[in-house]
PDB file of all heavy atoms in Angstrom:
ATOM      1  N   GLU E 997     -19.332  10.774   3.822  1.00 98.00           N
ATOM      2  CA  GLU E 997     -20.019  11.557   4.747  1.00 98.00           C
ATOM      3  C   GLU E 997     -21.475  10.944   4.861  1.00 98.00           C
ATOM      4  O   GLU E 997     -22.299  11.397   4.132  1.00 98.00           O
ATOM      5  CB  GLU E 997     -20.120  13.023   4.322  1.00 98.00           C
ATOM      6  CG  GLU E 997     -18.755  13.720   4.110  1.00 98.00           C
ATOM      7  CD  GLU E 997     -18.848  15.246   4.417  1.00 98.00           C
ATOM      8  OE1 GLU E 997     -19.787  15.877   3.717  1.00 98.00           O
ATOM      9  OE2 GLU E 997     -18.209  15.738   5.211  1.00 98.00           O
ATOM     10  N   PRO E 998     -21.684  10.141   5.908  1.00 98.00           N
ATOM     11  CA  PRO E 998     -23.058   9.596   6.076  1.00 98.00           C
ATOM     12  C   PRO E 998     -23.970  10.821   6.428  1.00 98.00           C
ATOM     13  O   PRO E 998     -23.626  11.649   7.304  1.00 98.00           O
ATOM     14  CB  PRO E 998     -22.949   8.662   7.273  1.00 98.00           C
ATOM     15  CG  PRO E 998     -21.546   8.861   7.843  1.00 98.00           C
ATOM     16  CD  PRO E 998     -20.705   9.606   6.899  1.00 98.00           C
ATOM     17  N   VAL E 999     -25.056  10.894   5.844  1.00 97.00           N
ATOM     18  CA  VAL E 999     -25.981  12.152   5.946  1.00 97.00           C
ATOM     19  C   VAL E 999     -26.438  12.264   7.369  1.00 97.00           C
ATOM     20  O   VAL E 999     -26.451  13.351   7.859  1.00 97.00           O
ATOM     21  CB  VAL E 999     -27.113  12.068   4.894  1.00 97.00           C
ATOM     22  CG1 VAL E 999     -28.050  13.256   5.053  1.00 97.00           C
ATOM     23  CG2 VAL E 999     -26.619  11.921   3.473  1.00 97.00           C
ATOM     24  N   TRP E1000     -26.657  11.072   7.928  1.00 97.00           N
ATOM     25  CA  TRP E1000     -27.201  11.036   9.339  1.00 97.00           C
ATOM     26  C   TRP E1000     -26.147  11.597  10.401  1.00 97.00           C
ATOM     27  O   TRP E1000     -26.496  11.855  11.588  1.00 97.00           O
ATOM     28  CB  TRP E1000     -27.692   9.657   9.776  1.00 97.00           C
ATOM     29  CG  TRP E1000     -26.694   8.536   9.447  1.00 97.00           C
ATOM     30  CD1 TRP E1000     -26.703   7.836   8.253  1.00 97.00           C
ATOM     31  CD2 TRP E1000     -25.636   8.051  10.233  1.00 97.00           C
ATOM     32  NE1 TRP E1000     -25.598   6.923   8.236  1.00 97.00           N
ATOM     33  CE2 TRP E1000     -25.004   7.038   9.494  1.00 97.00           C
ATOM     34  CE3 TRP E1000     -25.133   8.362  11.516  1.00 97.00           C
ATOM     35  CZ2 TRP E1000     -23.904   6.300   9.904  1.00 97.00           C
ATOM     36  CZ3 TRP E1000     -24.070   7.559  11.966  1.00 97.00           C
ATOM     37  CH2 TRP E1000     -23.461   6.592  11.189  1.00 97.00           C
ATOM     38  N   ALA E1001     -24.931  11.706   9.936  1.00 97.00           N
ATOM     39  CA  ALA E1001     -23.824  12.099  10.856  1.00 97.00           C
ATOM     40  C   ALA E1001     -23.401  13.520  10.673  1.00 97.00           C
ATOM     41  O   ALA E1001     -22.793  14.188  11.557  1.00 97.00           O
ATOM     42  CB  ALA E1001     -22.554  11.296  10.656  1.00 97.00           C
ATOM     43  N   ILE E1002     -23.981  14.197   9.561  1.00 95.00           N
ATOM     44  CA  ILE E1002     -23.647  15.613   9.302  1.00 95.00           C
ATOM     45  C   ILE E1002     -24.380  16.585  10.130  1.00 95.00           C
ATOM     46  O   ILE E1002     -25.550  16.674  10.073  1.00 95.00           O
ATOM     47  CB  ILE E1002     -23.713  15.909   7.831  1.00 95.00           C
ATOM     48  CG1 ILE E1002     -22.920  14.957   7.000  1.00 95.00           C
ATOM     49  CG2 ILE E1002     -23.532  17.340   7.487  1.00 95.00           C
ATOM     50  CD1 ILE E1002     -22.986  15.159   5.526  1.00 95.00           C
ATOM     51  N   GLY E1003     -23.612  17.328  10.972  1.00 94.00           N
ATOM     52  CA  GLY E1003     -24.215  18.349  11.769  1.00 94.00           C
ATOM     53  C   GLY E1003     -25.162  17.780  12.864  1.00 94.00           C
ATOM     54  O   GLY E1003     -25.915  18.609  13.514  1.00 94.00           O
ATOM     55  N   THR E1004     -25.138  16.430  13.122  1.00 95.00           N
ATOM     56  CA  THR E1004     -25.960  16.007  14.181  1.00 95.00           C
ATOM     57  C   THR E1004     -25.371  15.673  15.490  1.00 95.00           C
ATOM     58  O   THR E1004     -26.081  15.403  16.445  1.00 95.00           O
ATOM     59  CB  THR E1004     -26.552  14.617  13.638  1.00 95.00           C
ATOM     60  OG1 THR E1004     -25.353  13.817  13.466  1.00 95.00           O
ATOM     61  CG2 THR E1004     -27.355  14.810  12.384  1.00 95.00           C
ATOM     62  N   GLY E1005     -24.003  15.634  15.540  1.00 94.00           N
ATOM     63  CA  GLY E1005     -23.331  15.343  16.727  1.00 94.00           C
ATOM     64  C   GLY E1005     -23.155  13.803  16.894  1.00 94.00           C
ATOM     65  O   GLY E1005     -22.528  13.280  17.824  1.00 94.00           O
TER      66      GLY E1005
END
Side-chain angles (χ1 to χ4, degrees):
E997 298 208 306
V999 180
W1000 48 270
I1002 296 178
T1004 57

